[in-house]
Amino acid sequence: LVGSEMCIRDRIMSLTETPVCNFGEKIKEFKLISTEDTFISLKDIKGQNGTLIMFICNHCPYVKAVIKELVDVTNKISNFGINSVAIMSNDANNYPEDSFENMKKFSKINNFKFPYLYDETQEIAQNYGAVCTPDFFGYNKNNELQYRGRIREMKNLKPTEGASDLLSAMELIAKTSNGPKQQYPSMGCNIKWKK
């Protein structure tokens, strides 16, 4: 089975929801290799008005369903002074579609303007408490967590119409440093932890 089929096969077991936002939790440091073969740390990507850290992967159908919009949202929020970074933490040995080489292809195909980083040891995902792909962490300019929710409502892996929850939340954070009080969890395949 290829990665996507494996993900769909174990979706019933692995469909995971993010926990509620722990408002004010401080951003965690990291230094990881990017698909451009340079090491990127928090200071390299921190935005003037906030920072969006996303845990994604290449093979997950939940990521694939929103990837175009995700890229569009990151482009829009850069105009508000918010920088974005994506981190891939899955076990690439058991999910070869998520290999570093495939990360490079995935970022090119989808026109990533943000760094895409490989968390090979899974230490950063563990530090952040990331649970699924996609998992979004929206921080204000003071590096305080203000959003831990979905990009938008999905029905049968299809995005619904209307405004993007993620875009609205990050715009609010850029303007007020506070995230929305009502947040809906992101859902996706669980992170593939190493045995």
Side-chain angles (χ1 to χ4, degrees):
L1 291 175
V2 297
S4 298
E5 289 169 343
M6 288 169 80
C7 201
I8 289 163
R9 182 200 65 193
D10 62 17
R11 189 184 311 157
I12 292 157
M13 290 188 317
S14 73
L15 180 60
T16 303
E17 278 192 5
T18 54
V20 293
C21 182
N22 184 15
F23 285 96
E25 185 176 63
K26 285 292 194 180
I27 204 167
K28 313 285 195 306
E29 292 289 343
F30 56 82
K31 186 177 186 183
L32 296 168
I33 188 83
S34 79
T35 52
E36 305 296 318
D37 291 311
T38 56
F39 280 93
I40 301 283
S41 62
L42 180 60
K43 67 177 181 345
D44 300 317
I45 58 97
K46 184 179 164 344
Q48 186 183 344
N49 292 323
T51 307
L52 175 63
I53 295 177
M54 311 171 279
F55 288 85
I56 67 168
C57 68
N58 313 324
H59 88 264
C60 174
Y62 293 89
V63 173
K64 287 178 171 177
V66 298
I67 196 66
K68 281 192 172 55
E69 180 175 10
L70 189 149
V71 171
D72 184 51
V73 166
T74 59
N75 291 341
K76 284 176 176 164
I77 64 177
S78 68
N79 297 322
F80 313 143
I82 291 182
N83 289 345
S84 304
V85 64
I87 298 173
M88 204 301 293
S89 302
N90 275 353
D91 176 3
N93 289 331
N94 283 316
Y95 291 82
E97 213 178 316
D98 288 334
S99 72
F100 189 52
E101 285 310 307
N102 285 327
M103 285 173 61
K104 290 180 176 182
K105 291 176 190 164
F106 192 68
S107 62
K108 278 202 172 66
I109 290 164
N110 292 293
N111 254 334
F112 287 8
K113 303 281 193 298
F114 49 81
Y116 191 21
L117 312 181
Y118 185 27
D119 178 22
E120 188 172 8
T121 66
Q122 303 189 317
E123 183 186 349
I124 305 307
Q126 287 168 345
N127 285 351
Y128 273 81
V131 296
C132 62
T133 53
D135 198 343
F136 301 102
F137 293 77
Y139 295 87
N140 64 17
K141 63 186 175 189
N142 303 316
N143 294 330
E144 297 161 339
L145 187 65
Q146 293 293 323
Y147 190 67
R148 181 90 188 268
R150 66 190 182 188
I151 187 166
R152 69 163 58 248
E153 187 182 4
M154 304 271 286
K155 289 201 171 137
N156 300 319
L157 278 177
K158 296 276 188 299
T160 57
E161 297 292 317
S164 158
D165 296 40
L166 181 63
L167 178 59
S168 303
M170 296 314 294
E171 187 172 5
L172 185 66
I173 290 166
K175 288 177 175 166
T176 69
S177 284
N178 295 310
K181 290 288 170 273
Q182 186 168 38
Q183 301 185 9
Y184 300 94
S186 183
M187 287 163 64
C189 297
N190 63 324
I191 287 184
K192 308 304 181 202
W193 302 108
K194 294 178 179 179
K195 296 284 186 280

